[in-house]
Amino acid sequence: MIHYEQLWLFFALVFGIVVLPGLDMAFVMGSALAGGRSRGFAAVAGVIAGGVCHVLMTALGISVLIKLIPGMFNALLLAGALYIAWIGISLLRSESSFGLRPNTRLRSRAATFRQGMLTCLLNPKAYLFMLAIFPQFLRPQYGLIWLQALVMWLIIAINQLCVYGSVALMADRARQWLQGKPEAGMMATRCVGGLLIAAAMLTGFEGWQRI
């Protein structure tokens, strides 16, 4: 397999993973529902920045260390589960429907960016991908390893921007429709909160089994 064929295969694998519903997608959707497309794209930017950190950690060998010490990975899984569960519980307890009321204070774009980055960094699927798949596409015969890693990160970032950006735009349109329907907006808030809690429970259960 030549290098270009390998990159296309990597692109297809990344797209298949990114397009599946998960923690990052749920956070982007919730951010866009709460604050419109500007907050949605701030969340997307945070997730992409988190991807940069994943690639750097892999290049520095931190992912290998996590693989050699399973307890670190278990702790990461449980920490991510608790963080996402906290966001889900906050949505379930919210008295407003995704900040659709005029007097609801919205999270700033910078705060949304930081939280999106943290969500990505605590996403266990990202670490599984970086441990199991990413290193398989780094080959010394194809040139500088850091340059290959940079190209592969660009492929990841393009997929995240296209998929999560589309989610942000669709959620923004849904927000405009929900603004005149507070009961439907409240139901959407509860559904996203429940989705996050369910994802946290699955992640926590996986981490518990590995202990």
Side-chain angles (χ1 to χ4, degrees):
M1 183 182 294
I2 63 174
H3 193 204
Y4 291 112
E5 291 175 342
Q6 196 176 41
L7 289 178
W8 275 112
L9 177 58
F10 182 76
F11 183 93
L13 287 172
V14 172
F15 178 79
I17 293 172
V18 173
V19 79
L20 289 175
L23 303 182
D24 293 337
M25 185 178 292
F27 180 73
V28 170
M29 180 174 62
S31 298
L33 284 170
R37 69 178 64 185
S38 63
R39 265 66 176 186
F41 278 103
V44 173
V47 171
I48 292 175
V52 175
C53 296
H54 285 303
V55 173
L56 288 175
M57 285 189 289
T58 300
L60 294 173
I62 296 176
S63 292
V64 176
L65 179 63
I66 293 175
K67 188 175 182 179
L68 293 175
I69 307 176
M72 292 178 62
F73 186 65
N74 296 339
L76 180 68
L77 284 173
L78 294 175
L82 290 173
Y83 175 69
I84 296 303
W86 174 73
I87 297 177
I89 292 171
S90 299
L91 289 176
L92 288 180
R93 297 180 60 186
S94 175
E95 296 181 357
S96 62
S97 53
F98 273 124
L100 298 177
R101 295 178 182 175
N103 59 349
T104 301
R105 184 178 179 181
L106 295 175
R107 186 191 302 116
S108 69
R109 294 180 183 86
T112 302
F113 172 87
R114 290 192 298 269
Q115 195 166 3
M117 186 174 179
L118 183 59
T119 299
C120 182
L121 289 175
L122 291 177
N123 189 345
K125 286 185 179 180
Y127 287 92
L128 290 172
F129 174 81
M130 299 306 293
L131 287 171
I133 299 177
F134 192 90
Q136 306 302 321
F137 288 86
L138 294 174
R139 304 290 177 84
Q141 63 266 32
Y142 292 145
L144 298 173
I145 295 296
W146 70 265
L147 185 58
Q148 293 180 55
L150 176 61
V151 172
M152 290 162 65
W153 169 74
L154 287 174
I155 291 174
I156 295 172
I158 290 171
N159 274 281
Q160 290 173 326
L161 179 60
C162 293
V163 174
Y164 296 149
S166 298
V167 170
L169 291 175
M170 289 187 292
D172 177 60
R173 298 194 68 174
R175 178 178 186 268
Q176 297 174 20
W177 179 80
L178 290 171
Q179 281 182 329
K181 302 173 179 61
E183 293 183 358
M186 185 63 71
M187 183 176 295
T189 302
R190 300 290 185 256
C191 287
V192 174
L195 176 64
L196 290 174
I197 292 174
M201 291 177 65
L202 289 174
T203 301
F205 180 70
E206 182 180 354
W208 182 265
Q209 282 188 320
R210 290 172 178 264
I211 295 177

